[in-house]
Amino acid sequence: MANYKPDLSCQNKFIPINFAEQILPGTFEYALCYIVENKLDLSGFDAWYNNDKTGAAAYPPTVMLKIILLGYAHGLISSR
């Protein structure tokens, strides 16, 4: 079983912005979040992570995929 870090994009503790309230229905960002979270089967990534007993928690594949796809959609192709 993969050990993922919690997705804190909807928390209001350290950053006073709730991500779910910032994206508007009908926008590309809203569609991207909906597709990645509800339509894509990302269970194949779980087989790659063997950190359930040892090692640090990893970021969830849904969070990482949304970051990568949104960056590419806005023309950001560098990771620097």
Side-chain angles (χ1 to χ4, degrees):
M1 186 72 170
N3 181 18
Y4 295 126
K5 294 180 180 183
D7 181 9
L8 300 175
S9 61
C10 293
Q11 57 96 18
N12 290 324
K13 294 180 182 176
F14 298 112
I15 301 174
I17 297 172
N18 187 343
F19 180 72
E21 295 174 357
Q22 296 297 314
I23 56 174
L24 302 173
T27 61
F28 174 76
E29 291 82 7
Y30 184 85
L32 178 68
C33 288
Y34 178 78
I35 290 170
V36 171
E37 292 177 1
N38 299 314
K39 299 294 183 182
L40 295 180
D41 180 23
L42 301 177
S43 61
F45 286 103
D46 293 339
W48 289 90
Y49 293 103
N50 296 323
N51 63 346
D52 54 345
K53 296 178 184 170
T54 61
Y59 287 102
T62 55
V63 172
M64 299 304 292
L65 188 59
K66 285 190 274 185
I67 291 170
I68 291 170
L69 292 177
L70 185 64
Y72 281 155
H74 287 287
L76 303 171
I77 56 174
S78 175
S79 62
R80 295 181 176 215

Coordinates of all heavy atoms in Angstrom, one line a residue:
M1 N 0.8 -1.2 0.0 CA 0.0 0.0 0.0 C 0.9 1.2 0.0 O 1.8 1.3 0.8 CB -0.9 0.0 1.2 CG -1.9 1.0 1.3 SD -3.1 0.7 0.1 CE -4.3 1.8 0.5
A2 N 0.6 2.2 -0.8 CA 1.4 3.4 -0.9 C 1.0 4.3 0.2 O -0.1 4.4 0.6 CB 1.1 4.1 -2.3
N3 N 2.0 5.0 0.7 CA 1.9 6.0 1.8 C 2.0 7.4 1.2 O 3.1 7.8 0.8 CB 3.0 5.8 2.8 CG 2.9 6.7 4.0 OD1 1.9 7.3 4.2 ND2 4.0 6.8 4.7
Y4 N 0.9 8.1 1.0 CA 0.9 9.4 0.4 C 0.7 10.5 1.5 O 0.0 10.3 2.5 CB -0.3 9.6 -0.6 CG -0.1 8.7 -1.8 CD1 -1.2 7.8 -2.2 CD2 1.0 8.7 -2.6 CE1 -1.0 7.0 -3.3 CE2 1.1 7.9 -3.7 CZ 0.1 7.0 -4.0 OH 0.2 6.2 -5.1
K5 N 1.2 11.6 1.2 CA 1.0 12.8 2.1 C -0.4 13.2 1.9 O -1.0 13.1 0.8 CB 1.9 14.0 1.7 CG 3.4 13.7 1.9 CD 4.2 14.9 1.5 CE 5.7 14.6 1.8 NZ 6.6 15.7 1.4
P6 N -1.0 13.8 2.9 CA -2.4 14.3 2.8 C -2.5 15.5 1.8 O -1.6 16.3 1.7 CB -2.8 14.7 4.2 CG -1.5 15.0 4.9 CD -0.5 14.1 4.3
D7 N -3.6 15.5 1.0 CA -3.8 16.6 0.1 C -4.5 17.7 0.9 O -5.6 17.7 1.3 CB -4.8 16.1 -1.0 CG -5.0 17.2 -2.1 OD1 -4.4 18.3 -2.0 OD2 -5.9 17.0 -2.9
L8 N -3.7 18.8 1.1 CA -4.1 19.9 1.9 C -4.6 21.1 1.0 O -4.5 22.3 1.5 CB -3.0 20.3 2.9 CG -2.6 19.3 3.8 CD1 -1.4 19.8 4.7 CD2 -3.7 18.8 4.7
S9 N -5.0 20.9 -0.2 CA -5.4 22.0 -1.1 C -6.6 22.7 -0.6 O -6.9 23.8 -1.0 CB -5.5 21.5 -2.5 OG -6.6 20.5 -2.6
C10 N -7.4 22.1 0.3 CA -8.7 22.7 0.8 C -8.6 23.1 2.2 O -9.6 23.2 2.9 CB -9.8 21.7 0.5 SG -10.2 21.5 -1.2
Q11 N -7.4 23.2 2.7 CA -7.2 23.6 4.1 C -7.1 25.1 4.3 O -6.8 25.8 3.3 CB -6.0 23.0 4.7 CG -4.7 23.3 4.0 CD -3.9 24.4 4.6 OE1 -4.1 24.8 5.7 NE2 -3.0 25.0 3.8
N12 N -7.5 25.6 5.4 CA -7.5 27.1 5.7 C -6.6 27.5 6.8 O -6.8 28.5 7.4 CB -8.9 27.5 6.0 CG -9.8 27.5 4.8 OD1 -9.4 27.7 3.7 ND2 -11.1 27.1 5.0
K13 N -5.6 26.7 7.1 CA -4.8 26.9 8.3 C -3.6 27.9 8.0 O -3.5 28.9 8.5 CB -4.3 25.6 8.9 CG -5.4 24.8 9.4 CD -4.9 23.5 10.0 CE -6.0 22.6 10.5 NZ -5.6 21.4 11.0
F14 N -2.7 27.4 7.1 CA -1.5 28.2 6.9 C -1.6 29.2 5.8 O -1.1 30.3 5.8 CB -0.3 27.3 6.6 CG 0.0 26.4 7.8 CD1 -0.2 25.0 7.7 CD2 0.5 26.9 9.0 CE1 0.1 24.2 8.8 CE2 0.8 26.1 10.1 CZ 0.6 24.8 10.0
I15 N -2.4 28.8 4.8 CA -2.6 29.7 3.6 C -4.1 30.1 3.7 O -5.0 29.2 3.7 CB -2.3 29.0 2.3 CG1 -0.8 28.6 2.3 CG2 -2.6 29.9 1.1 CD1 -0.4 27.8 1.1
P16 N -4.5 31.3 3.8 CA -5.9 31.7 4.0 C -6.7 31.6 2.7 O -7.7 32.3 2.5 CB -5.8 33.1 4.5 CG -4.6 33.6 3.9 CD -3.6 32.5 3.9
I17 N -6.3 30.8 1.7 CA -7.0 30.6 0.5 C -7.4 29.1 0.3 O -6.6 28.2 0.5 CB -6.1 31.0 -0.7 CG1 -5.7 32.5 -0.6 CG2 -6.8 30.7 -2.0 CD1 -4.7 32.9 -1.7
N18 N -8.7 28.9 0.1 CA -9.2 27.6 -0.1 C -9.2 27.4 -1.6 O -10.0 28.1 -2.3 CB -10.6 27.4 0.5 CG -11.1 26.0 0.4 OD1 -10.6 25.2 -0.3 ND2 -12.1 25.7 1.2
F19 N -8.4 26.4 -2.1 CA -8.3 26.2 -3.6 C -9.6 25.9 -4.2 O -9.9 26.4 -5.3 CB -7.3 25.1 -3.8 CG -7.0 24.8 -5.3 CD1 -6.3 25.7 -6.1 CD2 -7.6 23.7 -5.9 CE1 -6.1 25.5 -7.4 CE2 -7.4 23.4 -7.2 CZ -6.7 24.3 -8.0
A20 N -10.4 25.1 -3.5 CA -11.7 24.7 -4.1 C -12.6 25.9 -4.3 O -13.5 25.9 -5.2 CB -12.4 23.7 -3.2
E21 N -12.5 27.0 -3.5 CA -13.3 28.2 -3.7 C -12.7 29.1 -4.7 O -13.4 30.1 -5.2 CB -13.4 28.9 -2.4 CG -14.2 28.1 -1.3 CD -14.2 28.8 0.0 OE1 -13.5 29.8 0.2 OE2 -14.8 28.2 0.9
Q22 N -11.5 28.9 -5.2 CA -10.9 29.9 -6.1 C -11.1 29.5 -7.5 O -11.1 30.4 -8.4 CB -9.3 29.9 -5.8 CG -9.0 30.5 -4.5 CD -9.4 31.9 -4.3 OE1 -9.2 32.7 -5.2 NE2 -10.1 32.2 -3.2
I23 N -11.3 28.2 -7.8 CA -11.5 27.8 -9.2 C -13.0 27.9 -9.5 O -13.8 27.4 -8.7 CB -10.9 26.5 -9.6 CG1 -11.4 25.4 -8.6 CG2 -9.4 26.5 -9.5 CD1 -11.0 24.0 -9.0
L24 N -13.3 28.4 -10.6 CA -14.7 28.6 -11.0 C -15.2 27.5 -12.0 O -14.5 27.1 -12.9 CB -14.9 30.0 -11.7 CG -14.5 31.2 -10.9 CD1 -14.6 32.4 -11.7 CD2 -15.4 31.3 -9.6
P25 N -16.4 27.0 -11.8 CA -16.9 26.0 -12.7 C -17.0 26.6 -14.2 O -17.3 27.8 -14.4 CB -18.4 25.8 -12.2 CG -18.3 26.1 -10.8 CD -17.3 27.3 -10.7
G26 N -16.6 25.8 -15.1 CA -16.6 26.2 -16.5 C -15.2 26.7 -17.0 O -15.0 26.9 -18.1
T27 N -14.2 26.8 -16.0 CA -12.9 27.2 -16.4 C -12.0 25.9 -16.7 O -12.4 24.8 -16.3 CB -12.2 28.0 -15.3 OG1 -12.1 27.2 -14.1 CG2 -13.0 29.3 -15.0
F28 N -10.9 26.1 -17.3 CA -10.0 25.0 -17.6 C -9.5 24.4 -16.4 O -9.4 23.1 -16.3 CB -8.8 25.5 -18.5 CG -7.8 24.4 -18.7 CD1 -8.0 23.4 -19.6 CD2 -6.6 24.4 -18.0 CE1 -7.0 22.4 -19.8 CE2 -5.6 23.4 -18.2 CZ -5.9 22.4 -19.1
E29 N -9.2 25.2 -15.4 CA -8.6 24.6 -14.1 C -9.7 23.7 -13.4 O -9.3 22.7 -12.9 CB -8.2 25.8 -13.2 CG -7.0 26.5 -13.6 CD -7.3 27.6 -14.7 OE1 -8.5 27.8 -15.0 OE2 -6.4 28.2 -15.2
Y30 N -10.9 24.1 -13.4 CA -12.0 23.3 -12.8 C -12.1 22.0 -13.6 O -12.2 21.0 -12.9 CB -13.3 24.1 -12.9 CG -14.4 23.4 -12.2 CD1 -14.6 23.6 -10.8 CD2 -15.3 22.6 -12.9 CE1 -15.7 22.9 -10.2 CE2 -16.4 22.0 -12.2 CZ -16.5 22.1 -10.9 OH -17.6 21.5 -10.2
A31 N -12.1 22.1 -14.9 CA -12.2 20.8 -15.7 C -11.1 19.9 -15.5 O -11.2 18.7 -15.4 CB -12.4 21.2 -17.2
L32 N -9.9 20.5 -15.4 CA -8.7 19.7 -15.1 C -8.8 19.0 -13.8 O -8.5 17.8 -13.7 CB -7.4 20.6 -15.2 CG -6.1 19.9 -14.9 CD1 -5.8 18.9 -16.0 CD2 -5.0 20.9 -14.8
C33 N -9.1 19.7 -12.8 CA -9.3 19.0 -11.4 C -10.3 18.0 -11.4 O -10.1 16.9 -10.9 CB -9.6 20.1 -10.4 SG -8.2 21.2 -10.0
Y34 N -11.4 18.2 -12.1 CA -12.5 17.2 -12.1 C -12.1 16.0 -12.9 O -12.3 14.9 -12.4 CB -13.8 17.8 -12.8 CG -14.9 16.8 -12.9 CD1 -15.7 16.5 -11.8 CD2 -15.1 16.2 -14.1 CE1 -16.7 15.6 -11.9 CE2 -16.1 15.2 -14.3 CZ -16.9 14.9 -13.2 OH -17.9 14.0 -13.3
I35 N -11.4 16.1 -14.0 CA -11.0 15.0 -14.8 C -10.0 14.2 -14.1 O -10.1 12.9 -14.0 CB -10.5 15.4 -16.2 CG1 -11.6 16.0 -17.0 CG2 -9.7 14.3 -16.9 CD1 -11.2 16.7 -18.3
V36 N -9.0 14.8 -13.5 CA -7.9 14.1 -12.8 C -8.4 13.4 -11.6 O -8.1 12.2 -11.3 CB -6.7 15.0 -12.4 CG1 -5.8 14.3 -11.5 CG2 -6.0 15.5 -13.7
E37 N -9.3 14.0 -10.8 CA -9.8 13.4 -9.6 C -10.9 12.4 -9.8 O -11.0 11.4 -9.0 CB -10.3 14.5 -8.6 CG -9.2 15.4 -8.1 CD -9.8 16.5 -7.2 OE1 -11.0 16.6 -7.0 OE2 -8.9 17.3 -6.7
N38 N -11.7 12.5 -10.9 CA -12.9 11.7 -11.0 C -12.9 10.7 -12.2 O -13.6 9.7 -12.2 CB -14.2 12.5 -11.1 CG -14.4 13.4 -9.8 OD1 -14.2 12.8 -8.7 ND2 -14.7 14.6 -10.0
K39 N -12.2 11.1 -13.3 CA -12.3 10.3 -14.5 C -11.1 9.4 -14.8 O -11.2 8.4 -15.5 CB -12.5 11.2 -15.7 CG -13.8 12.0 -15.6 CD -15.0 11.1 -15.7 CE -16.3 11.9 -15.7 NZ -17.5 11.0 -15.7
L40 N -9.9 9.8 -14.3 CA -8.7 9.1 -14.5 C -8.5 8.0 -13.5 O -8.7 8.2 -12.3 CB -7.5 10.0 -14.6 CG -7.4 11.0 -15.7 CD1 -6.2 11.8 -15.6 CD2 -7.5 10.3 -17.0
D41 N -8.0 6.8 -13.9 CA -7.7 5.7 -13.0 C -6.2 5.8 -12.7 O -5.4 5.4 -13.6 CB -8.1 4.4 -13.6 CG -7.7 3.2 -12.7 OD1 -7.6 3.5 -11.4 OD2 -7.6 2.1 -13.2
L42 N -5.8 6.3 -11.6 CA -4.4 6.5 -11.3 C -3.9 5.4 -10.3 O -2.9 5.5 -9.6 CB -4.1 7.9 -10.7 CG -4.5 9.0 -11.6 CD1 -4.3 10.3 -10.9 CD2 -3.7 9.0 -12.9
S43 N -4.7 4.3 -10.2 CA -4.3 3.3 -9.2 C -3.0 2.5 -9.7 O -2.4 1.9 -8.8 CB -5.4 2.3 -9.1 OG -5.7 1.6 -10.3
G44 N -2.6 2.7 -10.9 CA -1.4 2.1 -11.4 C -0.1 2.6 -10.7 O 0.9 2.0 -10.6
F45 N -0.2 3.9 -10.2 CA 0.9 4.5 -9.5 C 1.2 3.9 -8.2 O 2.3 3.9 -7.7 CB 0.6 6.0 -9.3 CG 0.8 6.8 -10.6 CD1 -0.3 7.3 -11.3 CD2 2.0 7.1 -11.1 CE1 -0.2 8.0 -12.4 CE2 2.2 7.8 -12.2 CZ 1.1 8.3 -12.9
D46 N 0.1 3.3 -7.6 CA 0.3 2.7 -6.2 C 1.3 1.5 -6.2 O 1.9 1.3 -5.3 CB -1.1 2.2 -5.7 CG -2.0 3.4 -5.4 OD1 -1.5 4.5 -5.3 OD2 -3.2 3.1 -5.4
A47 N 1.4 0.8 -7.4 CA 2.3 -0.3 -7.4 C 3.8 0.1 -7.4 O 4.6 -0.6 -7.0 CB 2.0 -1.1 -8.7
W48 N 4.0 1.4 -7.8 CA 5.4 1.9 -7.9 C 5.9 2.3 -6.5 O 7.1 2.3 -6.3 CB 5.5 3.1 -8.8 CG 5.4 2.7 -10.2 CD1 4.2 2.6 -10.9 CD2 6.4 2.3 -11.1 NE1 4.5 2.2 -12.2 CE2 5.8 2.0 -12.3 CE3 7.8 2.2 -11.0 CZ2 6.6 1.6 -13.4 CZ3 8.5 1.8 -12.0 CH2 7.9 1.5 -13.3
Y49 N 5.0 2.6 -5.6 CA 5.4 3.1 -4.2 C 5.4 1.9 -3.3 O 4.4 1.3 -3.0 CB 4.4 4.2 -3.7 CG 4.5 5.4 -4.6 CD1 3.6 5.7 -5.5 CD2 5.6 6.3 -4.4 CE1 3.7 6.9 -6.2 CE2 5.7 7.5 -5.1 CZ 4.7 7.7 -6.0 OH 4.8 8.9 -6.8
N50 N 6.5 1.6 -2.7 CA 6.7 0.6 -1.6 C 7.1 1.3 -0.3 O 8.0 0.8 0.3 CB 7.7 -0.4 -2.1 CG 7.2 -1.2 -3.3 OD1 6.1 -1.5 -3.4 ND2 8.2 -1.5 -4.2
N51 N 6.4 2.3 0.0 CA 6.8 3.1 1.2 C 5.8 3.0 2.3 O 5.8 3.9 3.2 CB 7.1 4.6 0.8 CG 5.8 5.2 0.3 OD1 4.8 4.6 0.0 ND2 5.8 6.5 0.2
D52 N 5.1 1.9 2.4 CA 4.0 1.8 3.4 C 4.6 1.5 4.8 O 4.1 1.9 5.8 CB 3.0 0.8 3.0 CG 3.6 -0.6 2.7 OD1 4.8 -0.6 2.5 OD2 2.9 -1.6 2.7
K53 N 5.8 0.9 4.8 CA 6.4 0.5 6.1 C 7.6 1.4 6.4 O 8.0 1.6 7.5 CB 6.7 -0.9 6.2 CG 5.4 -1.8 6.1 CD 5.8 -3.3 6.1 CE 4.5 -4.1 6.0 NZ 4.7 -5.4 5.7
T54 N 8.3 1.7 5.3 CA 9.6 2.5 5.5 C 9.5 3.6 4.5 O 8.9 3.6 3.5 CB 10.8 1.6 5.2 OG1 10.8 1.1 3.9 CG2 10.9 0.5 6.2
G55 N 10.3 4.6 4.7 CA 10.4 5.8 3.8 C 9.4 6.8 4.1 O 8.5 6.7 4.8
A56 N 9.7 8.0 3.5 CA 8.8 9.1 3.7 C 7.6 9.0 2.8 O 7.6 8.3 1.8 CB 9.6 10.4 3.3
A57 N 6.5 9.7 3.2 CA 5.3 9.8 2.4 C 5.6 10.5 1.1 O 6.3 11.5 1.1 CB 4.2 10.4 3.2
A58 N 4.9 10.1 0.1 CA 5.0 10.7 -1.2 C 3.8 11.6 -1.5 O 2.8 11.5 -0.9 CB 5.1 9.6 -2.3
Y59 N 4.0 12.5 -2.4 CA 2.8 13.4 -2.8 C 1.9 12.5 -3.6 O 2.3 11.7 -4.4 CB 3.3 14.5 -3.7 CG 3.9 15.6 -2.8 CD1 5.3 15.7 -2.8 CD2 3.2 16.5 -2.0 CE1 5.9 16.7 -2.1 CE2 3.8 17.4 -1.3 CZ 5.2 17.6 -1.3 OH 5.8 18.5 -0.5
P60 N 0.6 12.7 -3.5 CA -0.4 11.9 -4.2 C -0.2 12.1 -5.8 O 0.0 13.2 -6.2 CB -1.7 12.3 -3.8 CG -1.5 13.1 -2.5 CD -0.1 13.6 -2.5
P61 N -0.4 11.1 -6.6 CA -0.3 11.3 -8.0 C -1.3 12.3 -8.6 O -1.0 12.9 -9.5 CB -0.6 9.9 -8.6 CG -0.3 8.9 -7.5 CD -0.6 9.7 -6.2
T62 N -2.5 12.4 -7.9 CA -3.5 13.4 -8.4 C -2.9 14.8 -8.3 O -3.1 15.6 -9.2 CB -4.8 13.2 -7.6 OG1 -4.5 13.4 -6.2 CG2 -5.5 11.9 -7.9
V63 N -2.3 15.1 -7.2 CA -1.8 16.5 -7.0 C -0.6 16.7 -8.0 O -0.6 17.8 -8.6 CB -1.3 16.6 -5.5 CG1 -0.6 17.9 -5.4 CG2 -2.4 16.5 -4.6
M64 N 0.3 15.8 -8.1 CA 1.4 16.0 -9.0 C 0.9 16.1 -10.5 O 1.5 16.9 -11.2 CB 2.4 14.8 -8.9 CG 3.0 14.7 -7.5 SD 3.7 16.2 -6.9 CE 5.2 16.3 -7.9
L65 N 0.0 15.3 -10.9 CA -0.5 15.3 -12.3 C -1.2 16.6 -12.6 O -1.0 17.2 -13.7 CB -1.4 14.1 -12.5 CG -1.9 13.9 -14.0 CD1 -0.7 13.7 -14.9 CD2 -2.8 12.7 -14.1
K66 N -2.0 17.1 -11.6 CA -2.6 18.4 -11.8 C -1.6 19.5 -12.0 O -1.8 20.4 -12.8 CB -3.6 18.7 -10.7 CG -4.8 17.9 -10.7 CD -5.9 18.4 -9.7 CE -5.6 17.8 -8.4 NZ -6.7 18.2 -7.4
I67 N -0.5 19.5 -11.2 CA 0.5 20.5 -11.3 C 1.2 20.5 -12.7 O 1.4 21.5 -13.3 CB 1.5 20.4 -10.2 CG1 0.9 20.7 -8.8 CG2 2.8 21.2 -10.4 CD1 1.7 20.4 -7.6
I68 N 1.5 19.3 -13.1 CA 2.2 19.1 -14.4 C 1.4 19.5 -15.6 O 1.8 20.3 -16.4 CB 2.7 17.7 -14.5 CG1 3.8 17.4 -13.5 CG2 3.2 17.4 -16.0 CD1 4.2 15.9 -13.4
L69 N 0.1 19.1 -15.6 CA -0.8 19.4 -16.7 C -1.1 20.9 -16.7 O -1.2 21.5 -17.8 CB -2.0 18.5 -16.6 CG -1.9 17.0 -16.9 CD1 -3.2 16.3 -16.7 CD2 -1.3 16.8 -18.2
L70 N -1.3 21.5 -15.6 CA -1.6 22.9 -15.6 C -0.4 23.7 -16.0 O -0.6 24.7 -16.8 CB -2.1 23.4 -14.2 CG -2.5 24.8 -14.1 CD1 -3.8 25.0 -14.9 CD2 -2.8 25.2 -12.6
G71 N 0.8 23.3 -15.6 CA 2.0 24.0 -16.1 C 2.2 23.9 -17.6 O 2.5 24.9 -18.3
Y72 N 2.0 22.7 -18.1 CA 2.1 22.5 -19.6 C 1.0 23.3 -20.3 O 1.3 23.9 -21.4 CB 2.0 21.0 -20.0 CG 3.2 20.3 -19.8 CD1 3.2 18.9 -19.6 CD2 4.5 20.9 -19.8 CE1 4.4 18.2 -19.3 CE2 5.6 20.2 -19.6 CZ 5.6 18.8 -19.4 OH 6.7 18.1 -19.2
A73 N -0.2 23.4 -19.8 CA -1.3 24.1 -20.4 C -1.0 25.6 -20.5 O -1.4 26.3 -21.4 CB -2.6 23.9 -19.7
H74 N -0.2 26.1 -19.5 CA 0.1 27.5 -19.5 C 1.5 27.8 -20.1 O 2.0 28.9 -20.0 CB 0.1 28.1 -18.0 CG -1.3 28.2 -17.5 ND1 -2.1 29.2 -17.9 CD2 -2.0 27.5 -16.6 CE1 -3.3 29.1 -17.3 NE2 -3.2 28.0 -16.5
G75 N 2.1 26.8 -20.7 CA 3.4 27.0 -21.4 C 4.6 26.9 -20.6 O 5.7 27.2 -21.0
L76 N 4.5 26.4 -19.3 CA 5.6 26.2 -18.4 C 6.2 24.8 -18.6 O 5.6 23.8 -18.1 CB 5.2 26.5 -17.0 CG 4.6 27.8 -16.7 CD1 4.1 27.9 -15.3 CD2 5.7 28.9 -16.9
I77 N 7.2 24.7 -19.4 CA 7.7 23.3 -19.7 C 9.0 23.0 -18.9 O 9.6 21.9 -19.0 CB 8.0 23.1 -21.2 CG1 8.9 24.2 -21.7 CG2 6.6 23.1 -21.9 CD1 9.3 24.0 -23.2
S78 N 9.5 24.0 -18.1 CA 10.7 23.8 -17.3 C 10.3 23.6 -15.9 O 9.4 24.1 -15.4 CB 11.6 25.0 -17.5 OG 12.7 24.9 -16.6
S79 N 11.1 22.7 -15.2 CA 10.9 22.5 -13.8 C 11.7 23.4 -12.9 O 11.7 23.3 -11.7 CB 11.2 21.0 -13.5 OG 12.6 20.8 -13.7
R80 N 12.4 24.4 -13.5 CA 13.2 25.3 -12.7 C 12.4 26.5 -12.2 O 11.6 27.1 -12.8 CB 14.4 25.7 -13.5 CG 15.3 24.6 -13.7 CD 16.5 25.1 -14.5 NE 17.4 23.9 -14.7 CZ 18.7 24.0 -14.6 NH1 19.2 25.2 -14.5 NH2 19.4 23.0 -14.8

